[in-house]
């Protein structure tokens, strides 16, 4: 006796199905190969063609009391604003923060992944990982995925045994140490405020006001930035959120309503 095993085959015909339908389902999918001899350049051009236009404003700077970190909360792709309440400052551990610029999913995933690795390091070595070590860990991970389409531009800010630390890390594996950074489409406007008002010996209140003002002016000039200006301070006792102000309300603080020219002429 011979068993009929045709029902287990991937190309088994459907009962009552026409031969044309069966032939269409059984055929392997195919696509045309690009007519090019340089596939590396073709891939780069294809990525640029479908690359979404993103926008954000994040900043961080070191001063005598620690590190001040601030960011907006708008998520956009080109002219489409998808959210006004994105949390762009991510808590890696109680003494370390990461900022988010680039692809939201990429940044959130790899910051979460970094938080896991930092906790494992703390359990294994009985001490918190340094800001230098955490930033190098993230840079090494991103470097291993270079050229695979990740979009990450982040700052790692924190306080460790050596004091405050601030590093910039991107998806190309780049890593820079500095005292002040701004990342995102609104960063040129934020740098204008930071460079003119930055002093190392500021108080926490003065530093928070500078960061808040820089984020506001960036959102005022950059259409891809907006929402809420969040400000965090990282000190020897860890990070603390200082404020989260709607930039629409801040507009009336930094640009108070002035009497119109016609009113001035009437009063005169």
């Amino acid at each position: 006796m011979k068993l009929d095993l045709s029902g287990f085959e991937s190309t088994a015909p459907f009962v009552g199905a026409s031969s044309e339908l069966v032939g269409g389902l059984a055929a392997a999918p195919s696509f045309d190969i690009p007519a090019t001899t340089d596939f590396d350049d073709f891939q780069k051009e294809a990525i640029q063609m479908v690359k979404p236009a993103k926008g954000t404003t994040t900043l961080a700077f070191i001063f005598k009391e620690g590190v001040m970190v601030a960011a907006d909360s708008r998520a956009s792709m080109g002219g489409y604003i998808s959210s006004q309440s994105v949390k762009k400052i991510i808590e890696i551990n109680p003494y370390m923060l990461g900022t988010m610029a680039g692809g939201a999913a990429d940044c959130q995933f790899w910051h979460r992944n970094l938080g896991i690795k930092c906790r494992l390091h703390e359990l294994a070595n009985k001490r918190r990982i340094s800001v230098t070590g955490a930033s190098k860990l993230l840079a090494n991970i991103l470097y291993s995925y270079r050229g695979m389409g990740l979009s990450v531009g982040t700052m790692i800010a924190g306080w460790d045994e050596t004091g405050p630390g601030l590093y910039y890390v991107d998806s190309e594996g780049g890593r820079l140490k500095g005292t002040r950074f701004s990342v995102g489409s609104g960063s040129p406007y934020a740098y204008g405020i930071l460079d003119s008002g930055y002093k190392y010996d500021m108080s926490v209140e003065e530093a928070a006001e500078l960061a808040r003002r820089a984020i506001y002016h960036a959102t005022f000039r950059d259409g891809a930035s907006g929402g809420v200006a969040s400000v965090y301070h990282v000190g020897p006792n860890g990070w603390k959120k200082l404020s989260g102000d709607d930039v629409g309300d801040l507009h009336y603080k930094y640009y108070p309503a002035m009497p119109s020219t016609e009113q001035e002429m009437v009063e005169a």
Side-chain angles (χ1 to χ4, degrees), residues 173-195:
R175 176 172 168 267
L176 294 172
K177 182 179 182 179
T179 56
R180 61 183 183 270
F181 289 113
S182 182
V183 186
S185 58
S187 60
Y189 311 109
Y191 269 128
I193 303 297
L194 279 181
D195 291 340

Side-chain angles (χ1 to χ4, degrees), residues 38-94:
D38 190 349
F39 285 100
D40 290 336
D41 286 341
F42 174 81
Q43 184 185 28
K44 291 177 182 177
E45 292 175 6
I47 290 173
Q48 290 297 323
M49 183 179 65
V50 300
K51 188 176 182 180
K54 299 173 287 291
T56 189
T57 304
T58 61
L59 64 88
F61 57 87
I62 293 176
F63 66 113
K64 70 173 183 178
E65 300 289 342
V67 190
M68 196 63 65
V69 185
D72 73 315
S73 66
R74 175 175 290 181
S76 61
M77 183 176 291
Y80 174 67
I81 299 171
S82 59
S83 176
Q84 289 276 70
S85 56
V86 177
K87 190 175 183 181
K88 295 186 181 180
I89 299 177
I90 300 169
E91 297 94 359
I92 297 169
N93 65 31

Side-chain angles (χ1 to χ4, degrees), residues 2 33-34 49 61 68 82 89 95 97 100 102 114 120-121 123 130 148-149 176 210 217 221 231 241 247 254 257-258:
K2 186 178 179 180
I33 296 176
M49 183 179 65
F61 57 87
M68 196 63 65
S82 59
I89 299 177
Y95 291 83
L97 296 172
M100 188 169 76
L114 179 63
L120 290 173
H121 178 280
L123 291 171
S130 64
M148 298 187 185
L176 294 172
L210 175 64
H217 281 286
R221 295 294 180 185
V231 181
K241 185 173 182 179
V247 296
Y254 296 117
M258 302 296 290

